Amino acid sequence: MSVRAVASGVAAVLVTASVGFGGTPAASAEPGVPRTVPSLKQWQPGGADFSLGTKARVLYTQDALRETATDFAASLQAATGNDIAAQPGSAGSAGDIVLTTGLVPDAPEMPEAYRISVADTMELRGADTAGAFYATRSALQLLRQRTVIPGGAVTDWPQYRERSLMLDVGREFMPVELLRAQIRRMGHLKLNLLHLHFSDTFGFRLDSDRHPEITAAQHYTKQDIRELVDYAARYQVEIVPEVDFPGHMNGILAAHPELKLRSANGRVSDAAIDIANPRAYDLMRDILEEFLPLFPGRYWHLGADEFLLDGAMVTSYDEYPQIGAYAKATYGPQAQPVDAFLGLINWGADIVRANGKRPRIWNDGLHTGAGTLTIGTDIVVDYWSRAGIPQLPLPFFGAARTPADLIAAGHEVRNAAFTPTYYVAGGPTAVGNVPAPIAYQLWDPALFVDGSRLSPAQNERNLGSGLFVWCDDPTVQTPEQIAVSITMPLRVMAQQTWGPPQAGSYHEFARRADAVGEPVL
């Protein structure tokens, strides 16, 4: 893909986006509303002010809230210098904070909703433990700006169920401590899904007992993963693992060259596995069955993107007659070559379901009218490109099924639009990185990469969006430099996925974001 082609596509989609916005200005926060990132849904002023006590207590009404209360007290002490202690209880004095759960008036019934009642004692009430945690994040952001808060009540909840960060650790290994720092940042911004792309061009980053030959020198041990999962849970972050099949398998296939996809003219792909070879399924099954139990979350991401993209070369099913023969032998004489790919998705999805999880894939291999098979409607589709493969890989145009079509077929989707949700470190596609002000002003999660916008009814099947960090050239930025570079894009995605009202102009949003800062602990 040329830099000029990508740049032209970015320009086209941003024009489309501004038109797609319909000329309707984003809602702005009312003057006087307490400043947080993301901004608050509702603020009703009135009543006594709250002044954080110099020796304040964070009282928690249930043992399930103890860890959240303890972390909140420690962060609050670090941010303000006041002496803050967490302890069980429900009856606070002036200057204390009470953390509890229960019905949140005037909010939808969802576990992440919360209410902050500001009086001489502050009450943080979550609909569930997740909401209670988010109440502490908003309270911390407010109290680090000033320790006296005007009386009133905050009612807040997310617009989208998934508010995510994806990190491409397959191409560029990121140390565990850096992942922990991003989890803390996610909790601070009320992001709830960490998608880790564990395998790609430069390595398979999980420590395999069944196939130690595929494990990269830089990798995560199983104990690393267990501790990371537990750490993420403290911040209400769920980890979604991805091991990409049947493309982007360089890190695995380097140890299994006999399984690489070969064309009729003898060209060998370093990235794609031969899905006509039964031994390929043995290897993929081994990987799935070894690592699925390691992750307790709801999802497993199967990848399924860019299968026939070999480096910068786009190939065609016609170049691999063994795939067409396999499809007909497996799925009947009417089967098309793409059915072998669709059948692989269903095969992997069955293994994922058997392990109590829900499968996810990328969208680009799903073409309008292609194949005789359908994939399971419970599969979540992360929608990044309208192009699909085999085609010239420009993500803004093409024959891939539309978001609306996938929703009509029964799928839930996540908006992973190449622009503006991608941050690419290095390589020609980095030119598509959209500046944070443009993403803030012209985009929201209902607007997809091809410029189409979901209707409100369709958008009920849109799980959300986030920031997708790809390390196409791992020599360009260190993990620490990437973490700095995504500071404002991640804040913007947190705002757009949590939902309106926005914090006025981008300049006002940036000032607000600087005021609430990064997590203190």
Side-chain angles (χ1 to χ4, degrees):
M1 184 188 314
S2 72
V3 172
R4 179 175 295 177
V6 174
S8 299
V10 171
V13 81
L14 290 179
V15 170
T16 304
S18 62
V19 173
F21 225 66
T24 303
S28 296
E30 296 176 7
V33 173
R35 301 191 309 168
T36 62
V37 175
S39 56
L40 304 170
K41 286 285 192 302
Q42 294 180 6
W43 165 249
Q44 183 177 353
D49 294 351
F50 172 79
S51 179
L52 181 67
T54 55
K55 293 184 177 296
R57 298 175 298 166
V58 175
L59 302 171
Y60 54 94
T61 62
Q62 305 150 254
D63 191 59
L65 300 173
R66 178 177 56 83
E67 189 171 67
T68 294
T70 301
D71 289 349
F72 175 48
S75 296
L76 198 54
Q77 180 166 315
T80 66
N82 292 22
D83 187 6
I84 315 290
Q87 62 186 65
S90 58
S93 303
D96 288 341
I97 299 173
V98 178
L99 182 63
T100 189
T101 60
L103 179 67
V104 177
D106 304 320
E109 291 187 15
M110 57 175 60
E112 294 178 315
Y114 68 91
R115 186 177 181 88
I116 301 177
S117 300
V118 183
D120 56 355
T121 301
M122 181 184 291
E123 181 188 83
L124 311 182
R125 175 183 293 268
D128 205 335
T129 53
F133 174 80
Y134 292 138
T136 68
R137 299 306 93 183
S138 289
L140 178 61
Q141 289 189 12
L142 296 173
L143 289 165
R144 74 185 298 182
Q145 295 175 70
R146 55 179 180 172
T147 57
V148 177
I149 307 297
V154 167
T155 307
D156 201 14
W157 63 91
Q159 182 174 358
Y160 289 94
R161 287 167 281 171
E162 292 186 1
R163 308 172 303 279
S164 58
L165 169 64
M166 191 219 78
L167 296 174
D168 176 10
V169 298
R171 289 189 180 92
E172 183 163 1
F173 181 79
M174 299 186 182
V176 170
E177 191 46 54
L178 185 137
L179 298 183
R180 286 176 173 243
Q182 299 317 300
I183 288 168
R184 293 192 294 274
R185 177 184 265 181
M186 292 176 70
H188 189 62
L189 296 171
K190 305 185 180 74
L191 299 166
N192 64 357
L193 215 65
L194 177 60
H195 175 175
L196 294 176
H197 183 80
F198 279 116
S199 181
D200 212 299
T201 312
F202 302 113
F204 180 82
R205 304 299 184 181
L206 295 170
D207 189 12
S208 176
D209 296 323
R210 293 193 187 184
H211 289 280
E213 74 280 0
I214 71 174
T215 299
Q218 289 184 302
H219 63 268
Y220 307 102
T221 67
K222 288 185 169 68
Q223 187 60 28
D224 287 336
I225 296 298
R226 293 185 190 100
E227 292 175 359
L228 194 68
V229 165
D230 290 344
Y231 190 80
R234 288 174 53 184
Y235 295 87
Q236 297 299 319
V237 172
E238 178 181 357
I239 293 180
V240 177
E242 178 187 356
V243 175
D244 208 342
F245 298 148
H248 291 282
M249 292 184 66
N250 310 59
I252 296 170
L253 293 175
H256 287 276
E258 73 281 2
L259 299 180
K260 291 180 178 181
L261 183 62
R262 288 166 168 77
S263 70
N265 65 9
R267 187 176 64 250
V268 178
S269 171
D270 290 330
I273 200 166
D274 187 352
I275 60 175
N277 186 337
R279 292 180 60 199
Y281 293 83
D282 294 337
L283 176 61
M284 290 185 285
R285 180 185 291 276
D286 282 350
I287 293 170
L288 288 171
E289 291 183 343
E290 179 175 3
F291 290 105
L292 271 161
L294 186 60
F295 295 89
R298 295 167 293 167
Y299 298 107
W300 180 277
H301 205 298
L302 291 162
D305 63 311
E306 297 184 324
F307 172 44
L308 296 183
L309 182 64
D310 186 7
M313 181 181 297
V314 181
T315 61
S316 164
Y317 282 109
D318 294 340
E319 299 179 45
Y320 308 99
Q322 74 272 30
I323 293 180
Y326 173 86
K328 290 183 182 297
T330 307
Y331 302 111
Q334 302 305 312
Q336 302 170 16
V338 71
D339 285 314
F341 170 77
L342 300 174
L344 170 70
I345 292 173
N346 284 333
W347 172 86
D350 284 342
I351 297 173
V352 171
R353 294 185 197 103
N355 282 267
K357 294 181 177 24
R358 187 175 178 188
R360 305 179 77 116
I361 60 170
W362 301 103
N363 80 289
D364 59 82
L366 309 178
H367 287 198
T368 302
T372 64
L373 300 182
T374 58
I375 62 170
T377 57
D378 65 322
I379 297 173
V380 176
V381 180
D382 288 341
Y383 202 100
W384 76 276
S385 173
R386 184 64 191 276
I389 302 293
Q391 281 186 3
L392 185 65
L394 289 175
F396 315 108
F397 318 100
R401 296 172 67 179
T402 66
D405 177 38
L406 291 168
I407 288 169
H411 295 280
E412 289 184 311
V413 301
R414 174 172 56 163
N415 190 341
F418 174 83
T419 51
T421 75
Y422 277 22
Y423 176 84
V424 182
T429 56
V431 73
N433 293 344
V434 172
I438 294 177
Y440 180 83
Q441 292 163 356
L442 295 180
W443 178 84
D444 67 86
L447 183 63
F448 281 73
V449 66
D450 60 352
S452 66
R453 174 175 287 282
L454 296 180
S455 70
Q458 292 167 331
N459 209 40
E460 292 295 316
R461 304 286 292 174
N462 178 8
L463 294 174
S465 189
L467 185 67
F468 297 80
V469 178
W470 296 101
C471 305
D472 285 13
D473 184 347
T475 68
V476 171
Q477 286 186 298
T478 66
E480 292 73 21
Q481 289 170 331
I482 291 171
V484 172
S485 296
I486 66 173
T487 298
M488 283 309 297
L490 195 61
R491 291 169 173 176
V492 168
M493 288 300 165
Q495 176 62 57
Q496 305 302 69
T497 54
W498 188 266
Q502 284 190 334
S505 69
Y506 177 78
H507 295 296
E508 165 57 22
F509 174 76
R511 287 194 297 270
R512 175 187 298 239
D514 288 342
V516 304
E518 291 289 295
V520 290
L521 289 178

